[in-house]
């Protein structure tokens, strides 16, 4: 196990380049299962979760070749339909193979993912949608047993907006007979990127990015190439880092149109966000204003930025109310921030942050991916030396975050726990 040691107090200055989006790369790499032949994806981030999904593709019979940020996948040799417990347990996004396996092989056995730190995270809507496309699904010994002689288009209504649920159904419907309509579909940029990739493979998908997505099934899909979109959550994390250190940084390689809600809230808090030719300029302020935030499906404020933004509100000059509407247990970072002097009161899915205080260094423990990012941000802002343990969480979703922050003048390094 490792920890990250942070000496707080330095202003971040300079330029940081944003990597490809984990949550786009995962479904896009899996979509290769729908084709035979070599697919080429570039700008793929080097993350633990990406390594996990590549291992799963190989276990299913696929071939994977990696050269830097270029990943090639050939699923011609697909010869298994099982996603084993030990893999799904480490990364729940493995359930994304359900749709493609059913579409390609008519069969899938995927370990039912357990809960995780931020919530129960059921996949009932994935399964309900696949059943509506004609799959027979049962649960045996902790595994989802799914089979379908053929998948037929249907109208699928999602009771709750689900990102990977939408992605699973898009991939299953791409090779189904007839037309599938997804209603109350997720509108995230990562869903749009997946649809663009599939359309390059020959799929006929319209409406991605809106709540109604229509997929006209085709006989077969052919391999393609695609460049992974920038990670809007990594970009948002660095933008908040500029705010909490009163720094002045430029974020390059991001997609500003994916960052609207975050830019809006940062500007309301008094942080300057200007669009420059090759990226966004973020300039912090001594007087951070408190603003209220409610997490919502895209294009609302992303739940994956809630913990990071809370750190900024700890330094603001008043009360801010942060409501987490997506996951039922995504305030685990609060108790760790309180160890650093934060004044936060939780009531149900709402946290009231009393700003104006200052954060002081303390040993803290990461519990999930985005909570660990928030603790690193808090360490950058705190007086003294903070140690964040269990940083394996952060390696799932950020490419060398401590190196990128150090290049901006942050004093932090990785050390044995
Ligand atoms: C995706 O998770 C992201 N992961 C998450 O990012 C992100 O936080 C989340 O979307 C919300 O934006 C990937 O894309 C790999 P959901 P996902 O299905 O698809 C409930 C990160 O930090 N729900 O949109 O699993 C669910 O419990 C990760 O990178 C059901 O009830 O999230 C939640 O309350 C964390 N039944 C809500 O919907 C279902 O069948 C939204 O979940 C599916 C979901």
């Amino acid at each position: 196990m490792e920890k990250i040691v942070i000496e707080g107090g330095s202003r971040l200055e300079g330029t940081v380049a944003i990597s490809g989006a984990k949550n786009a790369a995962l479904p896009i790499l899996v979509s290769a299962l729908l084709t035979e032949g070599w697919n080429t994806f570039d700008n793929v981030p080097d993350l633990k979760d990406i390594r996990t999904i590549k291992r799963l593709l190989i276990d299913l019979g696929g071939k994977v070749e990696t050269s830097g940020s270029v990943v090639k996948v050939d699923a011609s040799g697909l010869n298994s339909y099982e996603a084993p417990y030990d893999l799904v347990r480490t990364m729940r996004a493995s359930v994304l193979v359900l749709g493609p396996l059913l579409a390609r092989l008519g069969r899938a056995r995927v370990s039912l993912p357990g809960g995780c730190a931020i919530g129960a995270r059921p996949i009932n809507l994935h399964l309900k949608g696949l059943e509506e496309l004609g799959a027979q699904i049962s649960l045996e010994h902790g595994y989802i047993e799914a089979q379908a002689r053929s998948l037929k288009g249907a109208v699928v209504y999602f009771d709750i907006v689900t990102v990977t649920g939408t992605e699973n159904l898009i991939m299953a419907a791409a090779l189904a007979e007839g037309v599938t309509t997804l209603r109350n579909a997720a509108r995230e940029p990562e869903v749009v990127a997946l649809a663009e990739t599939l359309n390059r493979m020959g799929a006929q998908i319209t409406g991605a990015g809106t709540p109604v997505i229509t997929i006209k099934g085709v006989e077969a899909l052919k391999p393609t190439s695609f460049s992974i979109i920038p990670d809007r959550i990594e970009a948002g994390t660095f933008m908040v880092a500029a705010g909490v250190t009163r720094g002045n940084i430029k974020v390059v390689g991001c997609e500003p149109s994916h960052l609207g809600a975050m830019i809006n809230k940062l500007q309301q808090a008094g942080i300057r966000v200007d669009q420059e030719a090759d990226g966004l300029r973020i300039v912090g302020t001594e007087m951070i204003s408190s603003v209220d935030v409610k997490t919502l499906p895209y294009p609302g404020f992303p739940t994956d930025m809630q913990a990071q933004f809370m750190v900024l509100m700890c330094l603001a000059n008043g009360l801010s109310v942060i409501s987490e509407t997506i996951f039922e247990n995504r305030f685990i970072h609060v108790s760790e921030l309180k160890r650093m002097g934060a004044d936060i009161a939780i009531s149900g899915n709402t946290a009231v942050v009393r700003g104006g205080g200052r954060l002081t260094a303390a040993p803290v423990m990461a519990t999930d991916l985005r909570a660990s990012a928030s603790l690193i941000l808090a360490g950058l802002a705190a007086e003294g030396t903070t140690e964040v343990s269990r940083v394996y969480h952060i390696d799932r979703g950020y490419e060398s975050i401590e190196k990128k922050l150090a290049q901006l003048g942050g004093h932090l390094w990785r050390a044995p726990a």
Side-chain angles (χ1 to χ4, degrees):
M1 294 244 249
E2 292 181 302
K3 63 188 174 185
I4 289 184
V5 182
I6 307 141
E7 271 173 12
S10 54
R11 282 163 48 96
L12 296 186
E13 295 184 337
T15 299
V16 62
I18 298 304
S19 304
K22 164 178 83 82
N23 292 349
L26 290 172
I28 287 171
L29 286 170
V30 168
S31 72
L33 292 175
L34 294 165
T35 68
E36 297 194 357
W38 285 102
N39 293 272
T40 303
F41 304 120
D42 68 42
N43 199 34
V44 179
D46 179 20
L47 302 168
K48 198 167 144 198
D49 278 5
I50 298 297
R51 293 191 285 275
T52 302
I53 207 77
K54 291 197 282 191
R55 210 175 93 221
L56 176 52
L57 294 174
I58 291 166
D59 287 356
L60 293 170
K63 284 186 280 187
V64 177
E65 289 177 6
T66 302
S67 167
S69 67
V70 176
V71 176
K72 295 174 67 177
V73 184
D74 176 357
S76 308
L78 186 59
N79 59 17
S80 165
Y81 51 73
E82 176 161 338
Y85 172 67
D86 70 315
L87 261 179
V88 179
R89 182 168 56 101
T90 57
M91 190 191 60
R92 56 182 310 104
S94 311
V95 296
L96 282 167
V97 301
L98 258 176
L101 288 175
L102 274 175
R104 251 319 273 287
L105 303 178
R107 188 89 169 77
R109 176 181 297 131
V110 176
S111 170
L112 184 69
C116 80
I118 62 177
R121 302 186 70 185
I123 60 165
N124 58 310
L125 301 178
H126 298 232
L127 304 181
K128 170 179 164 286
L130 293 171
E131 284 176 330
E132 284 164 350
L133 264 61
Q136 292 81 43
I137 292 178
S138 59
L139 179 61
E140 288 157 36
H141 309 297
Y143 276 78
I144 300 154
E145 298 285 355
Q147 46 192 337
R149 264 189 311 287
S150 68
L151 292 173
K152 290 186 174 40
V155 176
V156 175
Y157 183 88
F158 288 109
D159 300 350
I160 303 174
V161 173
T162 161
V163 175
T164 49
T166 300
E167 292 165 347
N168 236 333
L169 267 293
I170 288 176
M171 290 192 278
L175 292 179
E177 286 167 42
V179 178
T180 296
T181 304
L182 305 181
R183 294 193 176 283
N184 198 26
R187 302 164 57 185
E188 273 69 2
E190 294 77 27
V191 173
V192 175
L194 172 65
E196 283 172 13
T197 306
L198 290 168
N199 281 341
R200 287 194 189 184
M201 293 173 171
Q204 295 185 24
I205 303 165
T206 54
T210 78
V212 181
I213 300 177
T214 304
I215 305 107
K216 188 173 179 308
V218 295
E219 278 295 310
L221 294 174
K222 56 189 188 308
T224 191
S225 61
F226 193 77
S227 189
I228 302 300
I229 60 172
D231 193 317
R232 60 195 170 95
I233 304 302
E234 185 194 22
T237 303
F238 280 102
M239 292 163 73
V240 171
V244 301
T245 62
R246 277 84 175 185
N248 180 332
I249 71 168
K250 180 151 83 167
V251 176
V252 297
C254 64
E255 177 44 70
S257 66
H258 295 165
L259 295 160
M262 284 178 261
I263 291 170
N264 175 45
K265 283 300 171 186
L266 286 170
Q267 289 175 331
Q268 281 181 29
I271 313 293
R272 229 183 72 206
V273 182
D274 299 322
Q275 190 143 357
E276 297 185 355
D278 56 347
L280 290 175
R281 167 73 57 191
I282 295 86
V283 183
T285 173
E286 288 307 322
M287 283 299 288
I288 300 167
S289 304
S290 295
V291 292
D292 297 343
V293 165
K294 175 181 279 196
T295 65
L296 287 169
Y298 190 89
F301 190 91
T303 173
D304 292 349
M305 278 300 302
Q306 178 257 108
Q308 301 91 309
F309 197 80
M310 186 180 282
V311 177
L312 186 68
M313 291 299 99
C314 292
L315 306 173
N317 60 6
L319 271 184
S320 66
V321 178
I322 298 180
S323 308
E324 172 56 59
T325 73
I326 305 295
F327 292 110
E328 67 268 29
N329 190 35
R330 203 168 197 175
F331 284 145
I332 313 166
H333 47 284
V334 169
S335 47
E336 299 303 303
L337 292 175
K338 289 172 84 163
R339 289 174 43 69
M340 299 177 74
D343 183 348
I344 306 169
I346 294 177
S347 169
N349 73 341
T350 301
V352 178
V353 183
R354 188 184 308 275
R358 56 194 219 324
L359 295 173
T360 55
V364 289
M365 185 175 75
T367 50
D368 64 271
L369 170 54
R370 306 305 174 181
S372 27
S374 74
L375 296 176
I376 289 174
L377 296 181
L380 289 170
E383 292 155 24
T385 303
T386 296
E387 296 193 350
V388 181
S389 61
R390 301 194 179 184
V391 287
Y392 57 83
H393 289 292
I394 202 149
D395 295 330
R396 296 190 50 179
Y398 289 91
E399 213 176 14
S400 317
I401 189 167
E402 79 278 6
K403 291 192 184 115
K404 289 190 175 183
L405 287 168
Q407 276 168 356
L408 291 171
H411 297 153
L412 69 166
W413 58 91
R414 201 175 280 254

